[in-house]
Amino acid sequence: MIMDGNGRWAKNRFLPRVAGHARGVRRVRDVVKFCLARQTRFLTLFAFSTENWNRPENEVSYLMGLFAATLEGEINKLWENGVRLRVIGDRTRFTPRLQALIASAEARTAGADRLILTVAANYGGQWDIQQAFRAWMKNQWPSLATGGTLPEPSEIDLKPYLSMAYAPDPDLVIRTGGEQRISNFLMWQSVYAELYFTETLWPDFDTAAMELAFAWFAGRERRFGQIGQQQRATAC
Ligand code: FPP
């Protein structure tokens, strides 16, 4: 989920932008409940991108505070409902307190597996590919040092090193708020994702809106680079 439109939702109501983020948390709850009811195994929320640091300082610090408060307030409920929380992104830029909260929330829910809720925070698809490549290089290093050669670029499999190596690639990417772009979300992983764009602003994205997105997805023919006939033959 690319949760866009909080600022505009607030502006339309003559409220400060941050009021839209606060209201957005309600929708996070609804979407989690919806996914649990639909037995969706993986839900990934783009909460804060590597580019979002460029926002006004008060908005950045509000978002950090909201993230911390939501973690503290919701973690027990997540655990009770079988939701495992995972956070992807470069967390070293967060305050030590937020880093500790994230670590304890992840540890608290580590045994849950009904729904894997991933929050992308200080995350960017380009950052992810870079960190995966660095990790791959590090792993390759011992063999290079003893005379091994680098494989062809096309043979390099970065998937095990990407932040979401634990999950299948996304089937559906939903972006609210009217823009039609990926904005550095799961760039490597969403190559064959169905892309759903809606004008609805994130704070208005309720269960009915989610139903519409799922219904749209159910009607898509997914070919993964093949032709439809081949896909149907594999399914038989
Ligand atoms: C984009 O809307 C939204 C964000 C950058 C933050 C999203 C955060 C939340 C929904 C709340 C926190 C989430 C968790 C998981 C605790 P925008 O501000 O760019 O909207 P605009 O395009 O209308 O200005």
Side-chain angles (χ1 to χ4, degrees), residues 3-9 17 20-22 24-25 28 45-49 52 55 59 63 66-67 70 119 179 201-202:
M3 309 178 287
D4 196 12
N6 293 349
R8 276 165 287 161
W9 182 92
R17 289 179 52 82
H21 298 315
V25 174
V28 170
L45 304 171
F46 202 8
F48 194 86
S49 79
N52 286 153
R55 293 188 173 214
E59 184 169 339
L63 280 168
L66 190 61
F67 188 25
T70 310
V119 175
E179 307 295 353
L201 305 175
W202 177 253

Side-chain angles (χ1 to χ4, degrees), residues 75-83 108-109 114:
I75 203 65
N76 284 337
K77 254 181 279 165
L78 290 178
W79 164 247
E80 283 159 17
N81 284 287
V83 181
R108 171 96 178 88
T109 59
R114 247 179 99 194

Side-chain angles (χ1 to χ4, degrees), residues 136-157:
W136 177 86
M137 275 297 284
K138 214 171 157 186
N139 193 32
Q140 237 14 54
W141 213 247
S143 83
L144 290 178
T146 53
T149 50
L150 277 176
E152 289 295 313
S154 60
E155 289 163 5
I156 300 176
D157 183 13

Side-chain angles (χ1 to χ4, degrees), residues 5-18:
N6 293 349
R8 276 165 287 161
W9 182 92
K11 194 168 168 237
N12 293 343
R13 286 162 182 78
F14 306 101
L15 295 167
R17 289 179 52 82
V18 294

